[in-house]
């Protein structure tokens, strides 16, 4: 069985993709928070305001998760950089396993965020 070699450049490329995606999510959340502000100024119904608060809390939570993911990517990038300085083109098994676990985290977060957006858009279409 042939062992696949994972190069630092491949991981760096994936990190860049993730960073771009996380930056996009941050911008989207800013836009969503603006929509919440608009709705808060239009509605006085307690049920609607409770839902607004729910989404506000969800966006705060997701903003924190995004920041945590960005920090984790930066740490991994620093680790890759350290290996590059030592002229190691491929990473050790533990680092690759960590990368694969992080990839799973990103995929999970991507699905959670997509579900939240879908739910939020349904809410907006009902109350905008």
């Amino acid at each position: 069985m042939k062992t696949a070699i994972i190069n630092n450049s491949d991981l760096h490329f994936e990190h860049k993709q993730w960073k771009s995606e996380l930056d996009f999510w941050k911008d989207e959340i800013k836009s969503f928070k603006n929509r919440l502000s608009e709705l808060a100024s239009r509605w006085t119904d307690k049920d609607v305001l409770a839902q607004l608060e729910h989404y506000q809390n969800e966006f705060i939570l997701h903003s924190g998760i995004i920041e945590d993911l960005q920090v984790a990517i930066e740490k991994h990038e620093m680790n890759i950089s350290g290996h590059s300085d030592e002229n190691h083109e491929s990473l050790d098994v533990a680092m690759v396993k960590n990368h694969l676990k992080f990839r799973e985290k990103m995929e999970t977060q991507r699905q959670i965020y997509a579900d939240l957006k879908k739910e939020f858009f349904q809410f907006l279409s009902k109350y905008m």
Side-chain angles (χ1 to χ4, degrees):
M1 184 160 92
K2 187 176 178 181
T3 304
I5 296 176
I6 299 175
N7 293 315
N8 295 341
S9 60
D10 298 332
L11 300 180
H12 178 68
F13 177 78
E14 191 165 27
H15 287 165
K16 284 176 51 175
Q17 295 301 112
W18 290 339
K19 285 177 172 181
S20 294
E21 187 172 11
L22 293 170
D23 286 341
F24 180 76
W25 291 354
K26 280 173 69 172
D27 286 342
E28 249 185 349
I29 288 174
K30 286 178 191 173
S31 173
F32 296 158
K33 286 179 177 179
N34 289 336
R35 289 282 173 240
L36 289 175
S37 294
E38 287 177 32
L39 284 172
S41 67
R42 292 183 193 172
W43 289 90
T44 57
D45 181 272
K46 289 181 182 183
D47 291 336
V48 175
L49 294 176
Q51 290 179 62
L52 290 173
E53 184 176 0
H54 162 74
Y55 286 112
Q56 182 178 14
N57 291 336
E58 286 292 321
F59 296 143
I60 290 169
L61 174 69
H62 281 276
S63 293
I65 291 168
I66 289 168
E67 287 178 27
D68 292 346
L69 292 171
Q70 288 173 320
V71 167
I73 290 170
E74 283 305 315
K75 285 182 182 177
H76 200 232
E77 278 291 311
M78 295 301 287
N79 203 334
I80 291 172
S81 174
H83 275 76
S84 295
D85 291 344
E86 298 169 10
N87 293 322
H88 293 99
E89 184 52 30
S90 59
L91 300 174
D92 63 30
V93 174
M95 286 181 62
V96 171
K97 283 183 180 178
N98 285 339
H99 184 85
L100 296 177
K101 284 181 187 177
F102 192 84
R103 183 183 291 156
E104 287 178 23
K105 274 186 183 179
M106 281 296 295
E107 289 171 4
T108 299
Q109 187 58 32
R110 192 177 287 123
Q111 185 60 52
I112 291 168
Y113 185 66
D115 291 344
L116 174 64
K117 282 174 48 174
K118 181 179 176 182
E119 182 185 318
F120 183 61
F121 288 141
Q122 289 171 345
F123 170 76
L124 286 178
S125 65
K126 190 174 179 180
Y127 294 105
M128 278 303 274

